[in-house]
């Protein structure tokens, strides 16, 4: 166990030497785009957001260092301090990292290293934090999950093919993931000893410690199923879908003083601000010093599907205040029924209000939000993960809001505009009551709770996220879940109507 008392610096080493041959690509698989960004950018962004990571070293496939340099510069990934070519093998790449990082250390100093595959872009902050915490006690740490499959050992008998020779006890088997974490002094010593072995070869770094430093215990941190490795062609499609469905926990709420400091002198335009979530958001923001334009069909006669009305509303707000910092759209209509039996006018209304309206708002808002580095906030519902009978129009337009958010967050990043999407559980609003009548008390979120979370999102630096608002939100008294766990829970347990996200 480590004897160092001072907190060592922690460096993430991103191993990006793969060529992409198994995925059938002519470029390294870590440069493949998934959910609008290269795989390596997704991975680097995870470590950029990790408070316990001080800096990042990238070891890239030879010939592609300039590609990563461009990605890092464009994304503003400040923790990436070095981008270098890796070696011909995994072990050579690790040895390069050890040599480079070891040269920076003063005498008697040590460093925490987390070696992570660039093609595991779905790594959670929990795993990173657990690895770093484990290095306070252990010198070597691996990440693994139980094997859900039975593992068999086979032997090939000529042209007859493979035959089972052993079936190990599955209860003791684990599937290794990354990061693999070490004290630099430990992994350096393991490789020094391995270098004296003419038959040395290994596919990962923990096996080097296990073989050449057998007295060093290797602690295992629990991984998760989402921390998948993009290796086979099917992995590309799975990862892309997981990114689409992934949601983010709501930001921690601020206090009244912080809200006022952030909102005073700011201008917010809320489409669908007559009542429900939009009405509550407008009221709360105004109470904390923002100038708010709450627009709705029933109050100001504003129709989001009319481009001229949208443009006029924004122009008025800008003319009167000289700025627009936040544009929010909660306007929507909910029509239930079988599509084949739905009147054409009803179909057109749903598409124009629920889809065309947000598109028109986004187009008209861009120039104002680019001036302030502001944010566009849209709303979806749990039905976006899977359409259901009698909700074909509503759920499909809500799925479109997620795609629109993710696309615009990339498209507008260079302009400094943030775009996010709030996904509430079923919420008590007039629109929902009109559609479903009175429901059991306590079974629905309050519109004010969703509005307060929406305000937290608007004041955050987040962009491109789907933010879940759930009754068990940890910042509001419930249990914490990851974004991917939340997406899975929605898909498996969503037997309600999935509404409560958009309100006129």
């Amino acid at each position: 166990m480590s004897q160092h008392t001072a907190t060592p610096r922690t460096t993430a080493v991103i191993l990006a030497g793969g060529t992409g041959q198994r995925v059938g690509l002519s470029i390294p698989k870590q440069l493949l785009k998934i959910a609008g960004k290269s795989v390596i950018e997704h991975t680097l962004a995870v470590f950029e957001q990790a408070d316990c990571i001080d800096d990042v070293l990238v070891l890239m496939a030879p010939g592609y260092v300039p590609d990563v340099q461009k990605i890092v510069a464009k994304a503003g990934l400040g923790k990436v301090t070095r981008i270098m070519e890796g070696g011909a093998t995994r072990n050579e790449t690790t040895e390069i990292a050890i040599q480079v990082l070891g040269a920076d250390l003063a005498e008697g100093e040590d460093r925490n290293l987390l070696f992570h595959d660039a093609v595991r872009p779905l790594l959670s902050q929990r795993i990173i934090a657990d690895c770093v915490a484990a290095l306070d006690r252990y010198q070597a740490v691996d990440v693994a999950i139980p094997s859900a499959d039975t593992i068999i050992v086979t032997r090939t008998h000529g042209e007859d093919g493979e035959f089972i020779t052993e079936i190990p006890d599955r209860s003791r088997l684990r599937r290794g993931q990354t990061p693999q974490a070490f004290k630099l002094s430990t992994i350096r010593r393991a490789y020094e000893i391995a270098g004296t072995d003419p038959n040395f070869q290994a596919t990962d770094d923990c096996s080097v410690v296990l073989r050449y430093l057998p007295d060093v215990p290797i602690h295992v941190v629990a991984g998760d199923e989402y921390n998948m490795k993009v290796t086979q062609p099917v992995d590309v499609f799975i990862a892309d879908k997981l990114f689409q469905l992934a949601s983010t926990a709501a930001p921690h709420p601020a206090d009244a003083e912080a809200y006022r400091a952030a909102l005073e002198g700011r201008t917010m335009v809320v489409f669908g601000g007559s009542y429900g979530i939009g009405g509550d958001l407008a009221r709360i923001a105004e109470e904390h010093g923002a100038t708010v334009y709450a627009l709705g069909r029933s109050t100001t006669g504003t129709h989001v599907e009319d481009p001229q009305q949208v443009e006029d509303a924004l122009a008025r707000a800008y003319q009167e205040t000289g700025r627009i910092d936040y544009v929010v759209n909660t306007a929507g209509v909910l029509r239930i029924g079988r599509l084949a039996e739905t009147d054409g006018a009803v179909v057109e209304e749903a598409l124009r209000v629920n889809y065309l309206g947000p598109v028109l708002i986004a187009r008209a808002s861009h120039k104002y939000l680019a001036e302030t580095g502001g944010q566009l906030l849209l709303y979806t519902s749990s039905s976006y993960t899977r359409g259901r009978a009698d909700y074909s129009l509503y759920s499909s337009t809500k799925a479109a809001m997620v795609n629109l958010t993710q696309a615009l967050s990339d498209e507008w990043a260079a302009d400094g505009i943030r775009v996010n999407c709030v996904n509430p559980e079923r919420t008590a609003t007039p629109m929902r009551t009109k559609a479903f009548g009175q429901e059991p008390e306590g079974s629905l979120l309050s519109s004010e709770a969703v509005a307060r979370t929406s305000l937290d999102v608007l004041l955050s630096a987040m962009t491109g996220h789907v933010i879940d608002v759930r009754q068990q939100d940890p910042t509001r008294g419930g249990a914490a879940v990851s974004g991917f766990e939340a997406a899975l829970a929605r898909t498996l347990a969503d037997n309600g109507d999935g509404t409560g996200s958009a309100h006129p």
Side-chain angles (χ1 to χ4, degrees), residues 245 334 380-388 391-400 402 423-426 490-491 494 496-501:
L245 297 180
L334 171 60
T380 186
S381 89
S382 58
S383 62
Y384 87 83
T385 59
R386 187 178 189 275
R388 292 187 304 279
Y391 295 90
S392 58
L393 291 173
Y394 189 78
S395 59
S396 59
T397 54
K398 289 304 160 187
V402 173
N423 176 39
E425 282 187 321
R426 298 175 301 167
R490 288 195 307 271
T491 302
D494 182 20
D497 65 283
T499 65
S501 58

Side-chain angles (χ1 to χ4, degrees), residues 443-479:
S443 64
L444 305 176
L445 276 169
S446 71
S447 60
E448 181 172 339
V450 179
R452 290 190 178 277
T453 297
S454 300
L455 185 59
D456 294 329
V457 173
L458 287 170
L459 300 183
S460 75
M462 301 166 64
T463 188
H465 292 281
V466 178
I467 299 93
D468 273 336
V469 186
R470 313 177 72 194
Q471 293 198 60
Q472 61 267 46
D473 190 321
T475 64
R476 290 151 182 86

